[in-house]
Amino acid sequence: MTAKRSRQVRGSGAALAAILAGLAFSAPAYAQSASSLPLAPWPASVEQGSGKLTIGSGAAIGVPAGDADAAEAARLLVEHVKGANGLVLSVAPGAATAPIRFERDPAISGAEAYRLTVTPGGAVISASGKSGLVYGAMTLMQLLTADAKAAAGKGVSVPVLTIQDSPRFGWRGVMIDPARHFQPMESIYAIVDRMVEVKLNTLHFHLTDDQGWRFEVKRYPELTRIGGWRTGPDTGHGPGPKTGGFYTQEQLKALVAYAAARGITVVPEIDLPGHAQALVASYPELGMLGDRPAVGNSWGIFPWLFNPNEGGMTFVRNVLDELMEVFPSQFIHLGGDEAVKDQWERSPEVQSQMRKLGIKSENAMQSWMIDQFGEYLAKHGRRLIGWDEILEGGLPASASVMSWRGEQGAVDAVNAGHDVVLSPAPNLYLDNLESTLPDEAPGRISIQTMEAVYRYDPMPKGIDASKAQHVMGLQGNAWSEYIVTPWQLQHKLFPRLGAIAEVAWSPPVASKDYPGFLARLTPQIRRWKQGGFQVSDSAFGVAFTPTQTRGAALDAKSIGVTMAMQAPYGTIHYTLDGKAPGAKSPAYAKALSVKPGTVVTAASFAPDGTALSAPRRFDTAREALLTSTSSTLTACPRGSQGLRVPLNADATDNAPAYNVNIFDTCQADDHAPLAHAKSITVSVARLPRNYGLAHDEAALVRHYAVTTHGELVISAGCRAADKSADPKQKQHDPMPGSTVLASFPLPDPKTAPQQFTFTANLPDRPELSDETDVCFQFTAALSDPVYAVEKVVYGEKAQ
């Protein structure tokens, strides 16, 4: 589909309160105990008493004899506590006097609800349902592991308290997309382990798309033999190597059981009628017009549709039979998104079928198809859910909606009496970048910070209060066009999944305490890291901003630098000697003034001195000041940079990465030091043009190339010139009215390296100042790969 440091706390309950030491914030009503409890998500009700319970290594966990669910929850508690701080616990069936005990209490209403009671004599987790036992165990786990290490011989202290807890929403999910880039099964298990720690309960598994069919269907083996594999897109030297994979039914059944033991439901998705290129590549008779495409290796929207004739409908029912055998989830997701109907419009067969059914539009035809499958699922005790496009032809009575194109789909569906899950773009699209830091991994450039996710309200305005119960919950989506490796998937999900968990579980409040949330989440971030996860530090990463223009900095005897981070939590510490800073390094308080050539290195630290971010550097040497990178370039006047992409579509490295506008390959340097520059060297990368734009192709900007493969045209003053140019000029001139600084013919993509440089002396134009904007426009044919600027170096001497 095209439109996430630990704090070390030792000793007593009073010491546990130090988890927020150094913070000054006003806590909302629900978080009055947040200053003393490292819990995320925050419980529905917390009552703190006086005193403490000490749990030492070797302590037993009592479970009712014969209660397999309680024994499983206890085992999870043992496993997660040991992994987080080394405290060793053991399960003791029938031990009624153990210091930690599980018990069934039928008076606790709700399968996911629990009560945790801590007294000086012991901790008791009570619940009526299996999930409640698991979530109670995870809350106690958080209390037992606020410190990264259990105090040797002294154990861990937990404050006396009573927690009564249940979730705000029943659907608290994350969607993983192995269709574009296949993820090994072990990486999915690892995510399940981390989800349970913050009480997320739904794993939406997007198993099919244009680029891959990942679910083994034994009746139709070609779906995975052919549809499970694709070639890499062309960057000029021909297609890349074959890549892909699929999950066997046995593997998926094991995953389902593993997740269920942790209170997590796996919801499968088979995407129809669009996003069906891998299906049609495998069985062309199930497609339209007799065409047989290759399995897709581009991102976006493509024309291939599933054929809704009797043969096609029977095929889907057969697939659903095998899917339901593997996945016992109440909901089955059948996609329905981004299905451009051109093939149906041009198919005599489909048009005839519509006339026989009395259907007037192709969108209504999709609704008929969805309704047929909804009825089939209902006969098997299941429910259909789909993306909000299934509303367009009239929502079938049996369907629920996952709203991704903003919130209007959710509003419309709820007010019509249908259940919905909120998953809007860009708010909850976790493949979006988290910051503008230059080391961000590839993704969409619609910045979604952790704070933005935390402050999202999944109860949209416009929903009738009497129908609010139809909002089942929310989920974050991680589409994998630019998520190739488990590292990248983890980096996109964590720690923002912690914010989603709190929004989905905790009671709503009028004023959210974001600094308090960060302090409570910090121990969980440390647990994720100790579990071997790659947790993003974008919220805490230090960004540098010079206080002078580049030209002024080049002439100055001292250079001013400011530093900031997104999160209103922690302190920035820095060094000026090139060494990594520590918690005892100077704390940043105001803009620095440093000698030219100084390297400022900075990182953020929690109040207890634990590092929150990796060190980042700002170099004030002349060469650095005269250099611009892809991350510092902006969009040209007529476009926007919507994507940050890798050098190759299937690259496993996180760098290099390029900010690009795929509709018009042009980038701008808004503050070029032209008064100091006598020459320019531009490093260029040739990237795959693997984008399916469907009806948006009309937005592509075509430039008239005056050399065989197009040119790189470098112009100064392009913003002002573009404003004054008339439309006719813009049709043929890439930068009408601007000052051309240099032009280079692009080399033959078939023979040239993928990365290369151009160098030229600049014309003597004294009117061009250090603050003049410079545009880098590529005029290659739209059939050729995309080009991007990797780096620009302005030379102070002619070449």
Side-chain angles (χ1 to χ4, degrees):
M1 184 172 294
T2 62
K4 281 171 200 58
R5 320 169 207 349
S6 68
R7 296 187 49 76
Q8 297 180 357
V9 182
R10 296 179 173 82
S12 68
L16 194 60
I19 199 160
L20 295 186
L23 276 184
F25 61 86
S26 175
Y30 84 96
Q32 290 301 313
S33 300
S35 61
S36 61
L37 297 175
L39 299 176
W42 187 252
S45 171
V46 180
E47 294 180 10
Q48 287 190 256
S50 58
K52 63 182 180 180
L53 165 68
T54 300
I55 300 294
S57 192
I61 303 173
V63 298
D67 192 330
D69 292 341
E72 179 65 30
R75 188 190 66 75
L76 290 173
L77 178 59
V78 170
E79 175 185 307
H80 285 260
V81 168
K82 183 178 180 181
N85 69 356
L87 183 67
V88 178
L89 307 174
S90 62
V91 181
T97 60
I100 299 172
R101 299 186 300 281
F102 285 80
E103 65 177 28
R104 294 280 188 169
D105 185 348
I108 295 176
S109 178
E112 296 184 310
Y114 69 91
R115 180 178 62 246
L116 171 61
T117 305
V118 180
T119 68
V124 180
I125 297 167
S126 307
S128 60
K130 173 183 176 180
S131 292
L133 295 170
V134 170
Y135 296 140
M138 292 300 100
T139 295
L140 182 57
M141 179 276 295
Q142 290 188 353
L143 293 172
L144 288 169
T145 60
D147 190 346
K149 294 181 180 180
K154 297 181 180 179
V156 174
S157 294
V158 179
V160 167
L161 51 75
T162 299
I163 292 176
Q164 304 268 4
D165 204 6
S166 60
R168 180 185 180 190
F169 292 109
W171 188 301
R172 307 179 303 279
V174 56
M175 189 221 70
I176 295 174
D177 167 26
R180 273 62 177 240
H181 283 107
F182 183 74
Q183 290 288 325
M185 183 58 83
E186 53 268 26
S187 74
I188 311 302
Y189 276 89
I191 288 170
V192 167
D193 283 334
R194 306 287 77 85
M195 287 173 63
V196 68
E197 292 178 345
V198 289
K199 304 180 177 66
L200 293 169
N201 71 347
T202 305
L203 177 63
H204 174 180
F205 219 11
H206 184 79
L207 288 168
T208 75
D209 215 293
D210 298 298
Q211 300 81 12
W213 186 287
R214 308 301 181 201
F215 171 65
E216 178 195 30
V217 182
K218 294 182 179 179
R219 186 163 181 165
Y220 302 106
E222 300 295 88
L223 289 172
T224 47
R225 190 185 73 81
I226 294 175
W229 306 89
R230 62 169 175 81
T231 58
D234 188 5
T235 59
H237 296 163
K242 208 168 189 179
T243 183
F246 65 93
Y247 307 112
T248 68
Q249 292 190 10
E250 288 69 28
Q251 287 176 314
L252 290 167
K253 286 178 181 178
L255 173 67
V256 166
Y258 187 87
R262 289 150 182 80
I264 295 170
T265 299
V266 183
V267 175
E269 179 184 354
I270 301 297
D271 207 346
L272 294 167
H275 288 288
Q277 188 170 341
L279 163 62
V280 179
S282 303
Y283 290 97
E285 64 272 21
L286 296 172
M288 306 302 308
L289 308 178
D291 188 25
R292 184 172 196 167
V295 178
N297 62 7
S298 297
W299 320 136
I301 302 174
F302 301 92
W304 287 277
L305 296 180
F306 152 79
N307 191 331
N309 63 15
E310 185 53 39
M313 300 297 284
T314 299
F315 161 81
V316 175
R317 294 185 191 102
N318 290 337
V319 170
L320 290 176
D321 287 344
E322 295 195 31
L323 197 74
M324 288 187 287
E325 184 180 347
V326 173
F327 296 95
S329 58
Q330 179 186 24
F331 286 95
I332 302 294
H333 202 302
L334 287 185
D337 60 303
E338 297 179 329
V340 292
K341 304 303 192 298
D342 301 65
Q343 284 195 339
W344 283 3
E345 291 169 359
R346 302 175 195 184
S347 166
E349 181 183 10
V350 171
Q351 294 301 309
S352 175
Q353 185 179 6
M354 289 170 58
R355 286 192 297 272
K356 292 177 182 177
L357 293 169
I359 292 174
K360 302 299 184 183
S361 72
E362 286 73 23
N363 283 340
M365 183 66 183
Q366 176 168 310
S367 289
W368 171 85
M369 183 198 75
I370 291 293
D371 194 35
Q372 294 291 305
F373 296 143
E375 290 181 3
Y376 188 76
L377 290 172
K379 290 178 182 177
H380 293 78
R382 308 298 185 92
R383 296 177 64 186
L384 183 148
I385 189 169
W387 301 109
D388 57 50
E389 284 93 334
I390 65 175
L391 287 161
E392 291 174 347
L395 186 61
S398 59
S400 299
V401 171
M402 188 166 282
S403 187
W404 77 275
R405 297 180 300 174
E407 298 175 335
Q408 191 58 47
V411 173
D412 294 343
V414 166
N415 290 337
H418 296 272
D419 291 340
V420 303
V421 174
L422 273 296
S423 187
N427 313 70
L428 299 183
Y429 270 42
L430 302 182
D431 45 315
N432 280 309
L433 271 59
E434 299 175 66
S435 75
T436 58
L437 292 170
D439 54 3
E440 282 281 356
R444 305 175 202 270
I445 305 179
S446 177
I447 307 299
Q448 294 303 308
T449 66
M450 185 155 64
E451 181 172 5
V453 175
Y454 172 77
R455 296 194 183 281
Y456 178 70
D457 181 2
M459 193 63 69
K461 294 178 181 179
I463 288 181
D464 190 305
S466 66
K467 298 181 178 179
Q469 74 276 8
H470 286 295
V471 177
M472 295 190 292
L474 66 156
Q475 83 178 19
N477 293 336
W479 300 101
S480 70
E481 290 93 337
Y482 309 103
I483 298 175
V484 182
T485 65
W487 188 103
Q488 292 167 339
L489 179 59
Q490 294 165 13
H491 187 271
K492 293 294 185 183
L493 294 180
F494 300 94
R496 288 182 292 181
L497 275 187
I500 286 177
E502 177 126 343
V503 173
W505 181 280
S506 303
V509 291
S511 177
K512 290 190 173 184
D513 173 24
Y514 183 54
F517 165 73
L518 292 174
R520 291 186 284 107
L521 188 66
T522 297
Q524 185 58 49
I525 290 174
R526 185 257 304 160
R527 294 183 198 101
W528 284 330
K529 286 185 173 181
Q530 284 185 215
F533 262 54
Q534 298 297 330
V535 182
S536 166
D537 67 352
S538 294
F540 308 101
V542 179
F544 304 91
T545 304
T547 62
Q548 302 137 300
T549 65
R550 291 166 81 178
L554 286 164
D555 293 334
K557 294 183 179 179
S558 64
I559 296 174
V561 182
T562 63
M563 293 179 270
M565 59 177 175
Q566 289 178 357
Y569 174 66
T571 303
I572 296 173
H573 292 268
Y574 67 92
T575 63
L576 302 177
D577 59 4
K579 296 180 180 179
K584 295 182 179 180
S585 299
Y588 175 74
K590 62 180 181 180
L592 304 182
S593 181
V594 301
K595 294 180 180 179
T598 301
V599 176
V600 183
T601 309
S604 60
F605 295 82
D608 70 347
T610 302
L612 293 169
S613 74
R616 288 172 170 83
R617 304 169 71 252
F618 182 76
D619 190 349
T620 66
R622 294 190 73 80
E623 183 178 355
L625 295 174
L626 288 162
T627 299
S628 299
T629 66
S630 179
S631 296
T632 60
L633 299 178
T634 61
C636 287
R638 288 175 253 164
S640 61
Q641 296 190 124
L643 298 173
R644 183 170 175 82
V645 301
L647 183 63
N648 295 292
D650 302 319
T652 57
D653 294 332
N654 300 316
Y658 308 88
N659 296 351
V660 297
N661 169 17
I662 62 172
F663 291 93
D664 186 6
T665 51
C666 182
Q667 295 158 283
D669 193 348
D670 284 321
H671 306 284
L674 291 185
H676 287 75
K678 299 295 184 184
S679 65
I680 188 169
T681 299
V682 185
S683 299
V684 173
R686 190 177 62 253
L687 313 172
R689 190 186 291 273
N690 61 321
Y691 305 103
L693 303 178
H695 298 159
D696 288 334
E697 282 194 359
L700 287 167
V701 178
R702 291 170 171 81
H703 296 287
Y704 177 60
V706 297
T707 59
T708 305
H709 301 289
E711 310 82 46
L712 167 58
V713 181
I714 305 174
S715 301
C718 50
R719 296 196 182 280
D722 188 75
K723 289 180 181 179
S724 62
D726 64 56
K728 193 170 183 180
Q729 283 179 294
K730 296 180 183 182
Q731 288 179 9
H732 66 87
D733 190 341
M735 288 296 160
S738 59
T739 300
V740 177
L741 300 180
S743 291
F744 305 97
L746 294 169
D748 185 347
K750 295 180 180 179
T751 58
Q754 199 176 346
Q755 294 168 283
F756 48 90
T757 61
F758 296 120
T759 299
N761 291 326
L762 297 176
D764 186 13
R765 298 296 295 264
E767 76 275 12
L768 298 178
S769 70
D770 278 322
E771 289 301 288
T772 302
D773 59 87
V774 173
C775 287
F776 302 85
Q777 175 74 68
F778 295 93
T779 66
L782 297 181
S783 57
D784 284 352
V786 172
Y787 290 87
V789 173
E790 183 169 344
K791 183 173 66 173
V792 181
V793 178
Y794 299 93
E796 293 186 281
K797 296 181 179 179
Q799 296 293 309

